[in-house]
């Protein structure tokens, strides 16, 4: 067999022990919060039928879907038809040689799941899902072809309690992960609709929101210039300006907005929804998050129909670390109409980078083995086995380095693996029963019996 | 957009909330044992380069690898070369339009990982990996195209302590999962080599072991008939018979075997290895497993070089639920020679079926939410929010059913979700502060304050 160079496809990553453990720490923290709020995990297959995915992500998205080749003699089966048609384009051949593709996100598989299992599901259905997705994007820093998404959604309930609880979930999960200063921005699609109605341009809502969204970057002048270039008039700008420059507390903003949107049913409905969410939040105990009404927030306008969210850390320069909102037609594409839902997601890769930069991973997130037993020879090894068994019997993660290696190498192993304690056993230790017990972080060591060591490691 | 039928590719499965939770229960139990023995988790990409996988699983295996189509205009890019060669077979076209494939097992990616990261890895490297793999097999009962493997391996240590600890890991993990009667069979490739040498047919070791392996099914007569048909002589059978019929305790078997194999260096080495493993086991505390020397055990003869294992439950008729062994050339295919290793795997899908059949899943494996608050109206909902927050603040998984649904529906929701407790709040409860607290399993209910409920749920 020829030697093959060991490499991974571009845009994909191996996760070694420490990285996997840190990632698990993030996922487990978030999962425990999801569960606390009554969300349950589901998993869907890596492969979906190609027609389940095609057409859901726009033309550009379709190109980025990884397709799986049919098994066996895929080309012989396809070529008769292909040749007959005389059309040799990839686009025409694709459906002849591929029927399956890799999951592109967790939303479409979730919709497919809900429709397929609608008779087994209890609604409101509260699910979370943490699985990898694949996109044939050009890889670059921070962008991978395989990455995890972390979604939490409820379908079949229109209560705004759900929206309020998503804010609680963000607050609790990110606080638990150690973030101390982050903002959860909230807006409502209906308010944006109301504003577009106000200036008589409901069809230009996207142009309008895209421009407003840039306020931070290009300032009011820049926003106005862009709006004018898109066909908005000076009169439109006069109406928009107070909305764009809205400031003060959330309540002050809402009060001003009610005045501005007093003639828009949509707008007033959006304001009422936000007020309801805020009234729920008053009963909960938001620990850390700054919840901010932000009218410049505009995401997924083709998709979201009610409240929309976006989460940003204020401690590190970094794009949004979460977002989501209310949608009203998740499952329509699979024939199940009028099922309302809401959901948010966590950007776990970015959260990883934030925790790394702020040094927020707890030391325990890097530990796995608690104590390593080092021995000088075969006799010591034999002596050590029941001690090893004793440590494990009280749920202490413990290893014995098999005899035959120098002590230095064994200590190096403990260091490399971030093992915080070692026990060294030589002939003196065997005779006295007093083992050499070392704290690898402080460097301190003392003589102790196995029972004393067990007690000290169990606290 | 046309309506698409909601379905999954054949041979793949959705896992709903209960199933996912039960699967997590199995994986988490096994993982906690892996960690207790010093093994650390790694994860490798779903996609590998096609040439990493091709040729590792035999010609039949290669056909079962799911290939991924190159992105973009895969056919235009390929057709020039293809047409020039005039070869239109799938086999010739494949390498032109596909460079990546789905992971077929965890062994080859692990080997690739070890070689690629050899300078970052601390040896002995003890890793476990639980990830899905894909095979384009014809789906049938119990056989899927996407399924999880659960592997634990150590490379860079030839100590037989590792083999002994794999037995401990099986014993502890399966005991923890509630299995009460299971056997861990052990054999050694070198003993099988010794036996084949004894009759002067070292090259026919596979014919020999395949026949002996059938003893249980076809009896001694059947085994002898098969051996004769493969070219073994009557004299060979006379030598083989005592080996095949070896019985008694492990020690008795080893004593007899030593006599039989006294002239085979390989055979004696294999016996010594097994004895060493047994001597380690004497120092550990094997809880439940029956560890049995079984000379008819023969698995992965092209791959394993030392001890081999197989695990069977004696409580349910079911194939092996685990197995593995020692190998000496895992990474040679990627150019890293002479790295010894040993590993075993858990058949998690089968273990799932065993636990299901024996009713061994604990009730908590189906629970997620601990208590559901049911309210009669909007006022009660408002009253309930701080109570809900209080429950969650002490780490109790709690939900509030948004107001607007009949009590019966709310109770049904609790039942469907296996929620063990409910709190009902109406106007009486709001006035008195004494909530109706119901145990959904026993049906008992009583009036209690939120503090009393918190205390009772926290125990």
């Amino acid at each position: 067999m020829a030697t093959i160079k060991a490499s991974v496809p571009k845009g994909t990553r191996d996760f070694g022990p420490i990285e996997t453990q840190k990632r698990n720490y993030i996922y487990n923290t978030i999962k425990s919060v999801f569960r606390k709020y009554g969300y349950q995990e589901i998993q869907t297959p890596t492969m979906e039928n190609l027609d389940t995915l095609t057409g859901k992500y726009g033309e550009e998205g379709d190109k980025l879907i990884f397709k799986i080749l049919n098994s066996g003699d895929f080309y012989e089966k396809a070529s008769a038809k292909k040749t007959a048609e005389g059309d040799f384009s990839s686009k025409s051949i694709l459906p002849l040689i591929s029927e399956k593709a890799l999951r592109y996100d967790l939303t479409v598989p979730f919709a497919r799941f809900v429709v397929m299992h609608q008779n087994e599901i209890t609604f409101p259905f509260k699910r979370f899902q943490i699985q990898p997705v694949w996109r044939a994007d050009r890889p670059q820093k921070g962008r991978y072809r395989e990455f995890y998404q972390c979604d939490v959604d409820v379908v079949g309930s229109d209560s705004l309690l759900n929206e309020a609880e998503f804010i609680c979930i963000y607050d609790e999960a990110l606080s638990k992960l150690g973030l101390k200063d982050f903002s959860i921005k909230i807006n409502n699609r209906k308010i944006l609709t109301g504003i577009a109605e106000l200036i008589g341009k409901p069809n230009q809502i996207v142009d309008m929101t895209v421009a407003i969204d840039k306020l931070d970057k290009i300032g009011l002048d820049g926003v106005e210039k862009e709006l004018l270039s898109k066909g908005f008039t000076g009169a439109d700008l006069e109406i928009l300006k107070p909305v764009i420059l809205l400031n003060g507390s959330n309540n002050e903003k809402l009060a001003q907005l009610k005045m501005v949107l007093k003639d828009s049913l949509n707008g007033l409905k959006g304001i009422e929804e936000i007020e309801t969410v805020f009234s729920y939040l008053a009963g909960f105990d938001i620990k850390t998050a700054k919840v901010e009404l932000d009218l410049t927030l505009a995401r997924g306008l083709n998709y979201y129909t009610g409240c929309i969210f976006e989460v940003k850390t204020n401690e590190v320069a970094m794009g949004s670390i979460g977002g989501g909102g209310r949608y009203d037609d998740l499952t329509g594409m699979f024939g199940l109409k009028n099922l309302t839902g809401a959901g948010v997601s966590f950007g776990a890769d970015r959260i990883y980078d934030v925790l790394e930069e702020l040094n927020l991973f707890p030391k325990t997130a890097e530990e796995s083995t608690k104590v390593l037993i080092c021995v000088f020879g075969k006799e010591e090894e034999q002596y050590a086995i029941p001690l090893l068994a004793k440590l494990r019997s009280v749920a202490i993660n413990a290893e014995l380095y098999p005899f035959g290696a120098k002590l230095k190498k064994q200590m190096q192993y403990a260091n490399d693996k971030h093992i915080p304690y070692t026990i060294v056993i030589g002939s003196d230790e065997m005779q006295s029963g007093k083992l050499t017990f070392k704290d690898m972080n402080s460097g301190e060591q003392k003589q102790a019996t196995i029972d004393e060591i067990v007690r000290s490691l169990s606290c």
Side-chain angles (χ1 to χ4, degrees), chain A residues 31 33 54 86 100 109 170 199 240 252 293 314 322 324 367 437:
Chain A
K31 282 181 183 187
V33 177
T54 307
K100 293 181 287 294
Y170 274 132
I199 53 174
L240 279 176
E252 287 163 0
L293 174 62
N314 303 317
E367 273 178 32
F437 179 52

Side-chain angles (χ1 to χ4, degrees), chain A residues 44-295:
Chain A
T44 62
T46 293
M47 300 188 269
E48 293 279 350
N49 289 320
L50 192 50
D51 61 5
T52 297
L53 304 186
T54 307
K56 307 303 188 299
Y57 309 106
E59 208 170 313
E60 277 311 300
D62 281 353
K63 286 189 195 154
L64 301 183
I65 296 172
F66 277 112
K67 286 95 181 174
I68 294 167
L69 207 51
N70 293 343
S71 315
D73 294 332
F74 65 91
Y75 193 75
E76 285 77 1
K77 288 179 205 157
S79 59
K81 187 164 173 220
K82 175 179 65 65
T83 309
E85 289 176 358
D87 179 352
F88 286 81
S89 68
S90 295
K91 203 178 165 180
S92 302
I93 296 169
L94 177 65
L96 304 176
I97 62 171
S98 171
E99 286 163 5
K100 293 181 287 294
L102 298 186
R103 183 167 59 220
Y104 182 88
D105 69 3
L106 301 180
T107 304
V108 170
F110 175 52
R112 198 263 311 137
F113 180 98
V114 168
V115 176
M116 195 168 148
H117 302 283
Q118 54 185 295
N119 298 321
E120 308 142 39
I121 288 174
T122 308
F123 293 97
F125 182 49
K126 298 167 81 172
R127 88 86 174 79
F128 71 87
Q129 192 170 354
I130 301 180
Q131 291 192 281
V133 301
W134 296 267
R135 296 182 185 179
D137 249 326
R138 210 157 55 83
Q140 57 187 58
K141 190 177 177 328
R143 190 205 280 164
Y144 299 98
R145 293 183 146 193
E146 172 177 64
F147 58 98
Y148 276 68
Q149 288 193 335
C150 173
D151 283 15
V152 57
D153 289 83
V154 52
V155 290
S157 166
D158 59 7
S159 171
L160 290 154
L161 173 61
N162 299 300
E163 275 85 338
E165 291 198 333
F166 285 136
I167 292 175
C168 297
I169 285 173
Y170 274 132
D171 179 57
E172 189 163 342
L174 296 175
S175 302
K176 257 192 170 177
L177 289 170
L179 298 198
K180 281 166 201 71
D181 184 5
F182 56 91
S183 301
I184 303 173
K185 297 183 175 184
I186 181 169
N187 195 4
N188 193 296
R189 162 67 202 235
K190 297 187 180 84
I191 293 178
L192 294 172
T193 305
I195 297 170
E197 283 171 2
L198 194 65
I199 53 174
K201 297 195 164 61
N203 296 329
Q204 276 192 269
I205 182 169
V206 172
D207 287 341
M208 181 188 84
T209 51
V210 164
I212 296 180
D213 189 37
K214 294 181 185 161
L215 182 65
D216 271 357
K217 281 179 214 138
I218 59 177
L220 184 61
D221 281 357
V223 172
E224 293 193 335
K225 208 177 287 177
E226 176 161 335
L227 286 169
L228 290 170
S229 79
K230 295 284 181 186
F232 291 83
T233 65
D236 294 343
L237 295 191
E238 282 314 300
I239 301 172
L240 279 176
K241 202 150 59 174
V243 176
I244 298 173
L245 297 180
L246 211 62
N247 60 25
S249 69
N250 289 333
N251 285 338
E252 287 163 0
K253 285 183 190 170
L254 285 169
Q256 295 170 64
L257 205 54
K258 265 189 214 171
M259 303 288 290
V260 177
L261 292 177
K262 62 182 189 306
D263 296 323
S264 161
L265 279 178
N266 272 316
L268 291 175
K269 183 84 177 77
I271 292 168
E272 190 197 322
E273 288 182 7
I274 300 249
E275 284 179 331
T276 305
V277 171
F278 285 166
S279 79
Y280 278 118
L281 288 182
F284 286 114
D285 174 32
I286 298 296
K287 289 181 190 65
T288 317
K290 299 186 171 77
V291 181
E292 295 168 11
L293 174 62
D294 180 353
L295 293 182

Side-chain angles (χ1 to χ4, degrees), chain A residues 7-13 145:
Chain A
S7 65
V8 294
K10 72 178 171 186
T12 71
R13 294 168 286 176
R145 293 183 146 193

Side-chain angles (χ1 to χ4, degrees), chain A residues 319-333:
Chain A
S320 90
I321 54 174
R326 164 78 57 180
Y327 41 80
D328 278 331
D329 191 27
L330 176 73
T331 54
M333 52 183 135

